[in-house]
Coordinates of all heavy atoms in Angstrom, one line a residue:
P78 N -5.5 8.4 -0.2 CA -4.6 9.0 -1.2 C -3.5 9.9 -0.6 O -2.4 9.9 -1.1 CB -5.5 9.9 -2.0 CG -6.9 9.3 -1.9 CD -6.9 8.7 -0.5
S79 N -3.8 10.5 0.6 CA -2.7 11.4 1.2 C -1.6 10.5 1.8 O -0.6 11.0 2.1 CB -3.4 12.3 2.2 OG -4.0 11.5 3.2
E80 N -1.9 9.2 2.0 CA -0.9 8.3 2.6 C 0.2 8.0 1.6 O 1.3 7.6 2.0 CB -1.5 7.0 3.0 CG -2.6 7.2 4.1 CD -3.3 5.9 4.3 OE1 -2.7 4.8 4.1 OE2 -4.5 5.9 4.8
F81 N -0.1 8.1 0.3 CA 0.9 7.6 -0.7 C 1.6 8.8 -1.4 O 1.0 9.8 -1.6 CB 0.1 6.8 -1.8 CG -0.7 5.7 -1.3 CD1 -2.0 5.7 -1.2 CD2 0.0 4.5 -0.9 CE1 -2.7 4.6 -0.7 CE2 -0.7 3.5 -0.3 CZ -2.0 3.5 -0.2
P82 N 2.8 8.6 -1.7 CA 3.6 9.6 -2.5 C 2.9 9.8 -3.8 O 2.2 9.0 -4.3 CB 5.0 9.0 -2.6 CG 5.1 7.9 -1.7 CD 3.7 7.4 -1.4
E83 N 3.2 11.0 -4.4 CA 2.6 11.4 -5.6 C 2.9 10.4 -6.8 O 2.0 10.1 -7.6 CB 3.0 12.7 -6.0 CG 2.5 13.2 -7.3 CD 3.0 14.6 -7.7 OE1 3.4 15.4 -6.8 OE2 3.0 14.9 -8.9
Y84 N 4.1 9.8 -6.8 CA 4.5 8.9 -7.9 C 3.7 7.6 -7.8 O 3.7 6.9 -8.8 CB 6.0 8.7 -7.9 CG 6.6 8.1 -6.7 CD1 6.6 6.7 -6.5 CD2 7.1 8.9 -5.7 CE1 7.1 6.1 -5.4 CE2 7.7 8.3 -4.6 CZ 7.7 6.9 -4.4 OH 8.2 6.4 -3.3
E85 N 3.0 7.3 -6.8 CA 2.2 6.1 -6.7 C 0.8 6.3 -6.9 O 0.0 5.4 -6.8 CB 2.5 5.4 -5.4 CG 3.9 4.8 -5.3 CD 4.1 4.0 -3.9 OE1 3.2 3.9 -3.1 OE2 5.2 3.6 -3.7
S86 N 0.4 7.6 -7.1 CA -1.0 7.9 -7.3 C -1.5 7.3 -8.6 O -0.8 7.0 -9.5 CB -1.2 9.4 -7.3 OG -0.8 10.0 -8.5
N87 N -2.8 7.2 -8.7 CA -3.5 6.7 -9.9 C -3.2 7.5 -11.1 O -3.0 7.0 -12.2 CB -5.0 6.6 -9.6 CG -5.7 5.8 -10.6 OD1 -5.2 4.9 -11.2 ND2 -7.0 6.1 -10.8
N88 N -3.2 8.9 -10.9 CA -2.9 9.7 -12.0 C -1.5 9.5 -12.6 O -1.2 9.5 -13.8 CB -3.0 11.2 -11.6 CG -4.4 11.6 -11.4 OD1 -5.3 11.0 -12.0 ND2 -4.6 12.6 -10.6
F89 N -0.5 9.3 -11.7 CA 0.9 9.0 -12.1 C 0.9 7.7 -12.9 O 1.6 7.6 -14.0 CB 1.8 9.0 -10.9 CG 3.2 8.7 -11.4 CD1 4.0 9.7 -11.9 CD2 3.8 7.5 -11.2 CE1 5.3 9.5 -12.3 CE2 5.1 7.2 -11.6 CZ 5.9 8.3 -12.2
L90 N 0.3 6.7 -12.4 CA 0.3 5.4 -13.1 C -0.3 5.5 -14.4 O 0.1 4.9 -15.4 CB -0.3 4.3 -12.2 CG 0.4 4.0 -10.9 CD1 -0.3 2.9 -10.1 CD2 1.8 3.5 -11.2
N91 N -1.4 6.2 -14.5 CA -2.1 6.4 -15.8 C -1.2 7.1 -16.8 O -1.2 6.8 -18.0 CB -3.4 7.1 -15.6 CG -4.5 6.2 -15.1 OD1 -4.5 5.0 -15.4 ND2 -5.5 6.8 -14.4
S92 N -0.4 8.1 -16.3 CA 0.5 8.8 -17.2 C 1.6 7.9 -17.7 O 2.1 8.0 -18.8 CB 1.1 10.1 -16.5 OG 1.9 9.8 -15.4
V93 N 2.0 7.0 -16.8 CA 3.1 6.0 -17.3 C 2.4 5.1 -18.4 O 3.1 4.8 -19.4 CB 3.6 5.1 -16.1 CG1 4.5 4.0 -16.6 CG2 4.3 6.0 -15.1
F94 N 1.2 4.6 -18.1 CA 0.5 3.8 -19.1 C 0.4 4.5 -20.4 O 0.5 4.0 -21.5 CB -0.9 3.4 -18.6 CG -0.9 2.1 -17.8 CD1 -1.3 2.1 -16.5 CD2 -0.5 0.9 -18.4 CE1 -1.3 0.9 -15.8 CE2 -0.5 -0.3 -17.6 CZ -0.9 -0.3 -16.3
D95 N 0.1 5.8 -20.4 CA -0.1 6.6 -21.6 C 1.2 6.8 -22.4 O 1.1 7.0 -23.6 CB -0.6 8.0 -21.2 CG -2.0 8.0 -20.7 OD1 -2.7 7.0 -21.0 OD2 -2.4 9.0 -20.1
K96 N 2.3 6.6 -21.8 CA 3.6 6.6 -22.5 C 3.9 5.4 -23.3 O 4.7 5.4 -24.2 CB 4.8 6.9 -21.6 CG 4.7 8.2 -20.8 CD 5.1 9.3 -21.6 CE 5.2 10.6 -20.8 NZ 5.4 11.8 -21.6
L97 N 3.2 4.3 -23.0 CA 3.4 3.0 -23.7 C 2.6 2.9 -25.0 O 1.6 3.6 -25.1 CB 3.0 1.8 -22.8 CG 3.7 1.7 -21.4 CD1 3.2 0.6 -20.6 CD2 5.2 1.6 -21.6
D98 N 3.0 2.1 -25.9 CA 2.2 1.9 -27.1 C 0.9 1.2 -26.7 O 0.8 0.6 -25.7 CB 3.0 1.1 -28.2 CG 3.4 -0.3 -27.7 OD1 4.4 -0.4 -27.0 OD2 2.6 -1.2 -28.0
F99 N -0.1 1.3 -27.6 CA -1.4 0.7 -27.4 C -1.4 -0.7 -27.0 O -2.1 -1.1 -26.1 CB -2.2 1.0 -28.7 CG -3.7 0.5 -28.5 CD1 -4.6 1.3 -27.8 CD2 -4.1 -0.6 -29.2 CE1 -5.9 0.8 -27.7 CE2 -5.4 -1.0 -29.1 CZ -6.3 -0.3 -28.3
I100 N -0.7 -1.6 -27.8 CA -0.7 -3.0 -27.5 C -0.1 -3.3 -26.2 O -0.7 -4.1 -25.4 CB 0.0 -3.8 -28.6 CG1 -0.7 -3.6 -30.0 CG2 0.2 -5.2 -28.3 CD1 -2.1 -4.2 -30.0
S101 N 1.0 -2.7 -25.8 CA 1.7 -3.0 -24.5 C 0.8 -2.6 -23.4 O 0.6 -3.3 -22.4 CB 3.0 -2.2 -24.4 OG 3.9 -2.7 -25.4
R102 N 0.1 -1.4 -23.5 CA -0.8 -0.9 -22.5 C -2.0 -1.9 -22.3 O -2.3 -2.3 -21.2 CB -1.3 0.4 -22.9 CG -2.2 1.1 -21.9 CD -2.6 2.5 -22.3 NE -2.9 2.7 -23.7 CZ -2.4 3.6 -24.5 NH1 -1.4 4.4 -24.0 NH2 -2.8 3.7 -25.7
D103 N -2.5 -2.4 -23.4 CA -3.6 -3.3 -23.3 C -3.2 -4.7 -22.7 O -4.0 -5.2 -21.9 CB -4.3 -3.6 -24.7 CG -5.2 -2.5 -25.1 OD1 -5.5 -1.6 -24.3 OD2 -5.7 -2.5 -26.3
I104 N -2.1 -5.2 -23.1 CA -1.6 -6.4 -22.5 C -1.4 -6.3 -21.0 O -1.8 -7.2 -20.3 CB -0.3 -6.9 -23.3 CG1 -0.7 -7.4 -24.7 CG2 0.4 -8.0 -22.5 CD1 0.5 -7.7 -25.5
L105 N -0.7 -5.2 -20.6 CA -0.5 -5.1 -19.2 C -1.8 -4.9 -18.4 O -1.9 -5.5 -17.3 CB 0.4 -3.8 -18.9 CG 1.9 -3.9 -19.3 CD1 2.6 -2.6 -19.1 CD2 2.5 -5.0 -18.5
K106 N -2.7 -4.2 -18.9 CA -4.0 -4.0 -18.2 C -4.7 -5.3 -18.1 O -5.3 -5.7 -17.1 CB -4.8 -2.9 -18.8 CG -4.3 -1.5 -18.5 CD -5.1 -0.4 -19.0 CE -4.6 0.9 -18.6 NZ -5.4 2.0 -19.1
M107 N -4.8 -6.1 -19.3 CA -5.5 -7.3 -19.3 C -4.9 -8.3 -18.2 O -5.6 -9.0 -17.5 CB -5.5 -8.0 -20.6 CG -6.5 -7.4 -21.6 SD -6.7 -8.4 -23.1 CE -5.5 -7.6 -24.1
R108 N -3.5 -8.4 -18.2 CA -2.9 -9.3 -17.4 C -2.8 -8.9 -15.9 O -3.2 -9.7 -15.0 CB -1.4 -9.5 -17.9 CG -0.6 -10.5 -17.1 CD -1.2 -11.9 -17.2 NE -0.4 -12.8 -16.3 CZ -0.8 -14.0 -16.0 NH1 -2.0 -14.4 -16.3 NH2 -0.1 -14.7 -15.2
F109 N -2.4 -7.7 -15.6 CA -2.1 -7.3 -14.3 C -3.2 -6.5 -13.6 O -3.3 -6.5 -12.4 CB -0.8 -6.5 -14.2 CG 0.4 -7.4 -14.6 CD1 1.0 -7.2 -15.8 CD2 0.9 -8.4 -13.8 CE1 2.1 -8.0 -16.2 CE2 1.9 -9.2 -14.2 CZ 2.5 -9.0 -15.4
V110 N -4.1 -5.9 -14.3 CA -5.2 -5.2 -13.7 C -6.4 -6.1 -13.7 O -7.1 -6.2 -12.6 CB -5.5 -3.9 -14.5 CG1 -6.7 -3.2 -14.0 CG2 -4.3 -2.9 -14.5
F111 N -6.7 -6.7 -14.8 CA -7.9 -7.6 -14.8 C -7.6 -9.1 -14.6 O -8.6 -9.8 -14.5 CB -8.6 -7.4 -16.2 CG -9.0 -6.0 -16.5 CD1 -8.5 -5.3 -17.5 CD2 -10.0 -5.4 -15.6 CE1 -8.9 -4.0 -17.7 CE2 -10.4 -4.1 -15.9 CZ -9.8 -3.3 -16.9
G112 N -6.4 -9.4 -14.5 CA -6.0 -10.8 -14.1 C -6.3 -11.9 -15.2 O -6.6 -13.0 -14.9
K113 N -6.3 -11.5 -16.4 CA -6.7 -12.4 -17.5 C -5.5 -13.3 -17.8 O -4.3 -13.0 -17.6 CB -7.0 -11.6 -18.8 CG -8.2 -10.7 -18.7 CD -9.5 -11.5 -18.3 CE -10.7 -10.6 -18.2 NZ -11.9 -11.3 -17.8
S114 N -5.8 -14.5 -18.3 CA -4.8 -15.5 -18.6 C -4.1 -15.2 -19.9 O -4.6 -14.4 -20.7 CB -5.4 -16.9 -18.7 OG -6.2 -17.0 -19.8
F115 N -2.9 -15.7 -20.1 CA -2.2 -15.5 -21.4 C -3.0 -16.2 -22.5 O -3.0 -15.7 -23.7 CB -0.8 -16.1 -21.3 CG 0.1 -15.3 -20.4 CD1 0.7 -15.9 -19.3 CD2 0.4 -14.0 -20.7 CE1 1.5 -15.2 -18.5 CE2 1.3 -13.3 -19.9 CZ 1.8 -13.9 -18.7
K116 N -3.7 -17.2 -22.3 CA -4.5 -17.8 -23.3 C -5.6 -16.9 -23.7 O -5.9 -16.7 -24.9 CB -5.2 -19.1 -22.7 CG -6.0 -19.9 -23.7 CD -6.4 -21.2 -23.1 CE -7.2 -22.0 -24.1 NZ -7.7 -23.3 -23.6
Y117 N -6.3 -16.2 -22.8 CA -7.3 -15.2 -23.1 C -6.7 -14.0 -23.9 O -7.3 -13.6 -24.8 CB -8.0 -14.7 -21.8 CG -8.9 -13.6 -22.0 CD1 -10.3 -13.9 -22.3 CD2 -8.5 -12.3 -21.9 CE1 -11.2 -12.8 -22.5 CE2 -9.4 -11.2 -22.1 CZ -10.7 -11.5 -22.4 OH -11.6 -10.5 -22.6
I118 N -5.6 -13.6 -23.4 CA -5.0 -12.4 -24.1 C -4.6 -12.8 -25.5 O -4.8 -12.0 -26.4 CB -3.7 -11.9 -23.3 CG1 -4.1 -11.4 -21.9 CG2 -2.9 -10.9 -24.1 CD1 -3.0 -11.2 -21.0
G119 N -4.0 -14.0 -25.7 CA -3.7 -14.4 -27.0 C -4.9 -14.5 -27.9 O -4.8 -14.1 -29.1
R120 N -6.0 -15.1 -27.4 CA -7.2 -15.2 -28.2 C -7.7 -13.8 -28.6 O -8.1 -13.5 -29.7 CB -8.3 -15.9 -27.5 CG -8.3 -17.4 -27.7 CD -9.6 -18.0 -27.2 NE -10.0 -17.4 -25.9 CZ -10.2 -18.0 -24.8 NH1 -10.0 -19.3 -24.7 NH2 -10.5 -17.4 -23.7
T121 N -7.7 -12.9 -27.6 CA -8.2 -11.5 -27.9 C -7.4 -10.8 -28.9 O -7.9 -10.1 -29.7 CB -8.2 -10.7 -26.5 OG1 -9.0 -11.4 -25.6 CG2 -8.7 -9.3 -26.7
L122 N -6.1 -11.0 -28.9 CA -5.2 -10.3 -29.8 C -4.9 -11.1 -31.1 O -4.2 -10.6 -32.0 CB -3.9 -9.9 -29.1 CG -4.0 -9.0 -27.9 CD1 -2.6 -8.8 -27.3 CD2 -4.6 -7.7 -28.3
G123 N -5.4 -12.3 -31.1 CA -5.1 -13.1 -32.3 C -3.7 -13.6 -32.4 O -3.2 -13.8 -33.5
I124 N -3.1 -13.9 -31.2 CA -1.7 -14.4 -31.2 C -1.7 -15.7 -30.3 O -2.7 -15.9 -29.6 CB -0.7 -13.4 -30.7 CG1 -1.1 -12.9 -29.3 CG2 -0.6 -12.2 -31.7 CD1 -0.1 -11.9 -28.7
S125 N -0.6 -16.4 -30.3 CA -0.6 -17.6 -29.4 C -0.4 -17.1 -27.9 O 0.0 -16.0 -27.7 CB 0.6 -18.5 -29.8 OG 1.8 -17.8 -29.5
S126 N -0.7 -18.0 -27.0 CA -0.5 -17.7 -25.6 C 1.0 -17.5 -25.3 O 1.3 -16.6 -24.4 CB -1.1 -18.8 -24.7 OG -0.4 -20.0 -24.9
G127 N 1.9 -18.2 -26.0 CA 3.3 -18.0 -25.8 C 3.7 -16.6 -26.2 O 4.5 -15.9 -25.5
A128 N 3.2 -16.1 -27.3 CA 3.5 -14.8 -27.8 C 3.0 -13.7 -26.9 O 3.6 -12.7 -26.6 CB 3.0 -14.6 -29.2
A129 N 1.8 -14.0 -26.3 CA 1.2 -13.1 -25.3 C 2.1 -13.0 -24.1 O 2.3 -11.9 -23.5 CB -0.2 -13.6 -24.9
R130 N 2.6 -14.1 -23.7 CA 3.5 -14.1 -22.5 C 4.8 -13.3 -22.8 O 5.2 -12.5 -21.9 CB 3.9 -15.6 -22.2 CG 4.7 -15.7 -20.9 CD 5.1 -17.2 -20.7 NE 3.9 -18.1 -20.7 CZ 3.3 -18.4 -19.6 NH1 3.7 -18.0 -18.4 NH2 2.2 -19.2 -19.6
V131 N 5.4 -13.5 -24.0 CA 6.6 -12.7 -24.3 C 6.3 -11.2 -24.4 O 7.0 -10.4 -23.9 CB 7.2 -13.2 -25.7 CG1 8.2 -12.3 -26.2 CG2 7.7 -14.6 -25.5
R132 N 5.1 -10.9 -25.0 CA 4.8 -9.5 -25.1 C 4.5 -8.8 -23.8 O 4.8 -7.7 -23.5 CB 3.6 -9.3 -26.1 CG 3.9 -9.5 -27.5 CD 2.8 -9.2 -28.4 NE 3.1 -9.6 -29.8 CZ 2.3 -9.4 -30.8 NH1 1.1 -8.7 -30.6 NH2 2.6 -9.7 -32.0
A133 N 3.9 -9.6 -22.9 CA 3.6 -9.1 -21.5 C 4.9 -8.9 -20.8 O 5.1 -7.8 -20.1 CB 2.7 -10.1 -20.8
H134 N 5.9 -9.8 -20.9 CA 7.2 -9.6 -20.3 C 7.9 -8.3 -20.8 O 8.4 -7.5 -20.0 CB 8.1 -10.8 -20.5 CG 9.4 -10.7 -20.0 ND1 9.7 -10.8 -18.7 CD2 10.6 -10.4 -20.6 CE1 11.0 -10.6 -18.5 NE2 11.6 -10.4 -19.6
R135 N 7.8 -8.1 -22.1 CA 8.5 -6.9 -22.7 C 7.7 -5.7 -22.3 O 8.4 -4.6 -22.0 CB 8.5 -7.0 -24.2 CG 9.4 -8.1 -24.7 CD 9.4 -8.2 -26.2 NE 10.3 -9.3 -26.7 CZ 10.2 -9.9 -27.9 NH1 9.2 -9.5 -28.7 NH2 11.0 -10.8 -28.2
A136 N 6.4 -5.7 -22.3 CA 5.6 -4.6 -21.9 C 5.9 -4.2 -20.4 O 6.0 -3.0 -20.1 CB 4.1 -4.8 -22.1
K137 N 6.0 -5.2 -19.6 CA 6.3 -5.0 -18.2 C 7.6 -4.3 -18.0 O 7.8 -3.3 -17.2 CB 6.3 -6.3 -17.4 CG 6.4 -6.1 -15.9 CD 6.3 -7.5 -15.2 CE 6.6 -7.4 -13.8 NZ 6.6 -8.8 -13.2
K138 N 8.6 -4.7 -18.8 CA 9.9 -4.1 -18.7 C 9.9 -2.7 -19.2 O 10.5 -1.8 -18.5 CB 10.9 -4.9 -19.6 CG 12.3 -4.5 -19.6 CD 13.2 -5.4 -20.4 CE 14.6 -5.0 -20.3 NZ 15.5 -5.8 -21.1
M139 N 9.1 -2.4 -20.3 CA 9.0 -1.0 -20.7 C 8.3 -0.2 -19.7 O 8.7 1.0 -19.5 CB 8.2 -1.0 -22.0 CG 9.0 -1.3 -23.3 SD 8.0 -0.8 -24.8 CE 6.7 -2.0 -24.7
F140 N 7.3 -0.7 -19.0 CA 6.6 0.0 -18.0 C 7.5 0.4 -16.8 O 7.5 1.5 -16.4 CB 5.4 -0.8 -17.4 CG 4.6 -0.1 -16.4 CD1 3.5 0.7 -16.7 CD2 4.9 -0.2 -15.0 CE1 2.8 1.4 -15.8 CE2 4.2 0.5 -14.1 CZ 3.1 1.2 -14.5
V141 N 8.3 -0.5 -16.4 CA 9.2 -0.3 -15.3 C 10.3 0.8 -15.7 O 10.5 1.7 -14.9 CB 9.9 -1.6 -14.8 CG1 11.1 -1.3 -13.9 CG2 8.9 -2.5 -14.2
E142 N 10.8 0.7 -16.9 CA 11.8 1.7 -17.4 C 11.1 3.1 -17.4 O 11.7 4.1 -17.0 CB 12.3 1.3 -18.7 CG 13.3 0.1 -18.6 CD 13.7 -0.4 -20.0 OE1 13.3 0.2 -21.0 OE2 14.3 -1.5 -20.1
T143 N 9.9 3.1 -18.0 CA 9.2 4.4 -18.1 C 8.9 5.0 -16.7 O 9.1 6.2 -16.4 CB 7.9 4.3 -18.9 OG1 8.2 3.7 -20.2 CG2 7.2 5.6 -19.1
Y144 N 8.5 4.1 -15.8 CA 8.2 4.5 -14.4 C 9.4 5.1 -13.8 O 9.3 6.2 -13.1 CB 7.7 3.3 -13.6 CG 7.3 3.5 -12.2 CD1 6.0 3.8 -11.8 CD2 8.3 3.5 -11.2 CE1 5.7 4.0 -10.5 CE2 8.0 3.7 -9.9 CZ 6.7 4.0 -9.5 OH 6.3 4.2 -8.2
K145 N 10.6 4.5 -13.9 CA 11.8 5.0 -13.3 C 12.2 6.3 -13.9 O 12.7 7.2 -13.2 CB 12.9 4.0 -13.5 CG 12.8 2.8 -12.6 CD 13.9 1.8 -12.8 CE 13.8 0.6 -12.0 NZ 14.9 -0.4 -12.2
Q146 N 12.0 6.5 -15.2 CA 12.4 7.8 -15.9 C 11.5 8.9 -15.4 O 12.0 10.0 -15.3 CB 12.3 7.6 -17.4 CG 13.3 6.8 -18.0 CD 13.1 6.6 -19.5 OE1 12.1 7.1 -20.0 NE2 14.0 5.9 -20.1
M147 N 10.2 8.6 -15.1 CA 9.3 9.7 -14.8 C 9.3 10.0 -13.3 O 8.8 11.0 -12.9 CB 7.9 9.3 -15.2 CG 7.7 9.2 -16.7 SD 6.1 8.7 -17.2 CE 5.1 10.0 -16.6
S148 N 9.9 9.1 -12.5 CA 9.8 9.4 -11.0 C 11.0 10.1 -10.5 O 11.9 10.4 -11.2 CB 9.6 8.1 -10.2 OG 10.6 7.2 -10.5

């Protein structure tokens, strides 16, 4: 942990996730933390895999914007 700057710490990333809405946070975690497919995410949320892909893209964009604002 001492090797990494504070903005890359687990606490910082969790605080960025906390700024996102519930659905965006869940989609990002399912896709990028747990490595779930868009098909799985779509089934879990009751949407198509295409809609899951679009929402993941939008959520990722929101995450990056929030990350930049907070760092």
Side-chain angles (χ1 to χ4, degrees):
S79 61
E80 300 173 25
F81 302 107
E83 180 181 334
Y84 60 86
E85 290 181 3
S86 73
N87 195 28
N88 288 335
F89 180 78
L90 293 178
N91 282 332
S92 65
V93 175
F94 273 119
D95 289 342
K96 299 281 184 187
L97 302 178
D98 62 277
F99 181 73
I100 296 295
S101 296
R102 182 174 46 232
D103 279 354
I104 288 174
L105 286 177
K106 286 185 178 183
M107 279 190 272
R108 180 66 182 164
F109 298 105
V110 176
F111 300 115
K113 300 298 182 183
S114 68
F115 290 116
K116 185 176 180 179
Y117 173 87
I118 295 169
R120 270 195 319 240
T121 302
L122 298 177
I124 58 177
S125 70
S126 61
R130 184 181 306 267
V131 169
R132 289 186 186 186
H134 176 75
R135 290 178 183 160
K137 184 177 173 184
K138 187 176 178 180
M139 278 193 293
F140 181 88
V141 169
E142 289 173 5
T143 304
Y144 181 92
K145 286 179 181 178
Q146 288 175 359
M147 292 178 66
S148 58

